[in-house]
Amino acid sequence: MTDNSRRVARALLSVSDKTGLIEFARALTNLGVELVSTGGTARAIADAGLKVRDVSDLTGFPEMMDGRVKTLHPNVHGGLLAIRDNADHARSMKDHGILPIDLLVVNLYPFEATVDKGASEDDCIENIDIGGPAMIRAAAKNHYDVAVVVEPPDYQSVLDELAANNGATTLALRRKLAQKAYARTAAYDAAISNWFAAELKNDAPDFRAFGGKLIQALRYGENPHQHASFYKTPDRRPGVATARQLQGKELSYNNINDTDAAYECIAEFDAKRTAACVIVKHANPCGVAEGADLASAYRKALACDSTSAYGGIIAFNRTLDADAANAVAGIFTEVIIAPDATDEAIAIIGKRKNLRLLLAGGLPDPRAAGLTAKTVAGGMLVQSRDNAVVDDMTFKTVTKRAPTDAELRDLGFAFRVAKHVKSNTIIYAKDLATVGIGAGQMSRVDSARIAARKAEDAAKELGLAAPMTKGSVVASDAFFPFADGLLVAIEAGATAVVQPGGSMRDNEVIEAADAHGIAMVLTGVRHFKH
């Protein structure tokens, strides 16, 4: 082709989201573009006093079957797919009275939103768009001749280009729009297929796809030489993807990852039952605590490892108040995330311009089903979310001594936290606060040692006579394969332990606990987190 520009003489508009529709249609009309439309879109354009041609006039057939069939016709798809410079195509268009369609504007039936609001199966199925994706794919395939728009934010760029190019679009814009069009239909089909899989309770469908909409292009990934972007999926789980950022600079890849880790952990603590705080550094909690209020919970969490907390992420499970905001102001923090914040707290945080404040609008449900995905070389691992929660577990005492009520309370707290720490995980806890955390070690005994050493360091910093692991309880995310890890915890001062059990050497580990007079309970639930 010698000329890549294509004049827009005719546009077909069929949209469910009518944001900006009338302004766009009016601008097209002013440029001399003939408007063709369907159903409610045509009515909206006509009601605005604009001239519009109904698609049934183009096809010679009325809309039928409750609107399921209206654009699936050669006069539509021929107008989209015909290669303008191909003589055979031009002859077929002339022989069959097919008019070229130069611009397609379609956004799809709101399937994702329909599912999200808990609609019936019949309603969800009725919101599966057929004609829309077919037209979008046809126009995108023929992008050398046809421009396709799939969302209102692109209206202005099309109008700007038409104004700058005498009513024509450039190939560069059409290619960009075509890429977005295919990505949109792919994400749409992924949402539908995953909904079907969930309805069928099929955990391993033959094909699995995920799709999302760009939230922001990030400055870089985990490291400056890596490219990264942040996408929103149909899963409307409250968190960093849904949060409103009130202040602070743009979130980085690592900020987003760590903030998600913090908020998923804080969601384990029912806000009606207790105030709680989680401090995260490099995707691992470095301090977690419950308290009478957010400020006291924060101070208890900070005491666990104030060194690691520097430059960390803080999550609260209740509305951020002034006392908590003032408490947090004492140390450099990257991000605070909470369900909401008072005006006074917002003003206090506002004095620290680089501190990001995110309000998520609610807490995610730790029991909710969902999927997580991770890429590996040449493939993708998909699993259901770890939605096992402590409150639904039965703690089975296997030692001669049963835990006291205070120990049992702390054991539940510690195992709640262990779910959100990288394996191998050892958590020491006392008085509903972590006092030592060992994360991500290749050996469970090393995790126990590191957690105990961190408690020793914290004791020196706080001026305590002894580490807070003395009289603590300990949680392990998976079973103790040998008694050595347990013995390290006992030496650190732990008096009770919670672990899943299930090792071939469970009896040896239980015997070691009995020999030292400590209590042990088994959950039967493992919390590996890699």
Side-chain angles (χ1 to χ4, degrees):
M1 295 181 185
T2 56
D3 183 5
N4 289 329
S5 66
R6 290 292 183 266
R7 184 169 180 79
V8 175
R10 184 173 295 103
L12 194 161
L13 301 89
S14 180
V15 298
S16 60
D17 179 0
K18 294 179 175 53
T19 303
L21 169 67
I22 301 307
E23 294 80 3
F24 186 50
R26 181 173 288 113
L28 291 175
T29 298
N30 291 339
L31 289 167
V33 178
E34 180 187 13
L35 305 183
V36 180
S37 192
T38 64
T41 307
R43 286 192 296 274
I45 294 172
D47 289 346
L50 300 174
K51 186 177 180 180
V52 60
R53 185 177 181 183
D54 196 276
V55 74
S56 61
D57 182 49
L58 208 67
T59 64
F61 279 86
E63 292 185 18
M64 60 183 70
M65 301 176 186
D66 298 319
R68 285 188 171 199
V69 179
K70 52 192 172 189
T71 59
L72 297 169
H73 192 279
N75 282 1
V76 172
H77 287 270
L80 294 170
L81 285 165
I83 299 173
R84 308 305 194 251
D85 293 342
N86 184 301
D88 287 341
H89 288 203
R91 188 164 31 273
S92 293
M93 292 178 74
K94 182 177 179 180
D95 290 346
H96 298 285
I98 297 173
L99 299 174
I101 299 169
D102 310 303
L103 172 64
L104 177 72
V105 182
V106 171
N107 52 63
L108 304 172
Y109 292 172
F111 175 82
E112 296 100 329
T114 302
V115 172
D116 187 53
K117 68 182 183 182
S120 68
E121 181 176 333
D122 286 346
D123 282 344
C124 290
I125 291 172
E126 282 306 309
N127 275 278
I128 296 175
D129 204 328
I130 302 300
M135 289 192 292
I136 288 172
R137 292 175 63 82
K141 176 175 180 174
N142 201 27
H143 64 271
Y144 277 100
D145 293 312
V146 180
V148 55
V149 177
V150 296
E151 63 170 358
D154 287 325
Y155 291 169
Q156 192 57 51
S157 62
V158 171
L159 292 176
D160 290 345
E161 181 140 317
L162 292 176
N165 293 282
N166 242 359
T169 59
T170 63
L171 179 58
L173 178 65
R174 295 194 301 272
R175 284 174 64 86
K176 180 181 177 181
L177 293 173
Q179 182 279 323
K180 176 181 275 192
Y182 279 119
R184 176 63 187 114
T185 57
Y188 193 72
D189 286 342
I192 294 168
S193 66
N194 287 327
W195 173 78
F196 267 114
E199 290 291 299
L200 294 169
K201 295 181 171 39
N202 184 355
D203 296 327
D206 290 342
F207 292 90
R208 177 71 84 177
F210 294 97
K213 186 176 188 323
L214 182 68
I215 295 176
Q216 68 183 92
L218 304 173
R219 286 170 290 161
Y220 53 82
E222 284 185 294
N223 301 290
H225 62 277
Q226 294 174 268
H227 301 292
S229 304
F230 186 26
Y231 290 86
K232 187 174 184 178
T233 68
D235 183 8
R236 304 302 176 94
R237 188 172 178 83
V240 64
T242 66
R244 179 168 55 102
Q245 183 172 348
L246 268 62
Q247 68 168 64
K249 58 186 178 181
E250 181 181 288
L251 292 167
S252 70
Y253 180 99
N254 293 328
N255 291 152
I256 293 168
N257 187 57
D258 291 352
T259 303
D260 178 71
Y263 212 56
E264 286 294 322
C265 184
I266 200 65
E268 299 285 342
F269 298 89
D270 184 354
K272 295 178 181 177
R273 180 182 64 82
T274 185
C277 175
V278 173
I279 307 173
V280 159
K281 191 73 172 288
H282 295 294
N284 275 307
C286 60
V288 183
E290 297 182 17
D293 51 53
L294 294 182
S296 61
Y298 167 73
R299 293 188 185 98
K300 288 171 68 178
L302 181 63
C304 179
D305 187 355
S306 60
T307 300
S308 296
Y310 184 85
I313 311 293
I314 300 175
F316 292 108
N317 68 338
R318 289 179 177 174
T319 296
L320 180 67
D321 55 33
D323 288 343
N326 279 318
V328 170
I331 186 173
F332 169 60
T333 299
E334 290 277 5
V335 179
I336 299 172
I337 184 169
D340 205 347
T342 65
D343 291 341
E344 190 176 1
I346 292 170
I348 292 168
I349 299 300
K351 295 175 183 177
R352 302 179 62 191
K353 301 302 181 184
N354 290 328
L355 173 55
R356 292 93 153 183
L357 176 59
L358 304 181
L359 303 183
L363 288 172
D365 180 0
R367 292 181 175 86
L371 296 175
T372 65
K374 177 182 180 180
T375 58
V376 295
M380 179 170 62
L381 288 169
V382 179
Q383 65 174 345
S384 60
R385 182 184 291 118
D386 182 357
N387 61 354
V389 298
V390 165
D391 299 321
D392 300 333
M393 297 177 193
T394 300
F395 283 13
K396 178 183 177 183
T397 301
V398 292
T399 47
K400 294 176 182 176
R401 183 174 81 78
T404 65
D405 288 344
E407 287 172 332
L408 197 59
R409 179 192 61 178
D410 282 341
L411 288 169
F413 170 88
F415 203 64
R416 199 184 299 273
V417 175
K419 172 181 173 180
H420 295 273
V421 181
K422 301 288 186 181
S423 300
N424 287 314
T425 301
I426 291 293
I427 305 291
Y428 295 95
K430 185 177 182 180
D431 298 328
L432 298 177
T434 55
V435 295
I437 298 175
Q441 297 305 303
M442 291 68 76
S443 163
R444 193 161 299 278
V445 67
D446 285 342
S447 291
R449 286 171 178 154
I450 288 171
R453 175 58 187 270
K454 281 185 168 289
E456 292 172 2
D457 292 343
K460 290 178 183 177
E461 185 172 342
L462 295 170
L464 302 178
M468 288 187 286
T469 50
K470 300 297 182 183
S472 69
V473 304
V474 67
S476 175
D477 64 330
F479 62 64
F480 287 97
F482 302 96
D484 52 1
L486 175 64
L487 293 175
V488 170
I490 293 171
E491 184 179 353
T495 62
V497 60
V498 57
Q499 56 133 328
S503 168
M504 293 175 60
R505 296 182 176 85
D506 271 353
N507 287 338
E508 294 177 23
V509 176
I510 294 169
E511 287 171 4
D514 279 332
H516 290 81
I518 75 165
M520 178 181 289
V521 297
L522 305 184
T523 65
V525 177
R526 189 180 74 184
H527 277 314
F528 269 165
K529 183 178 177 64
H530 291 117

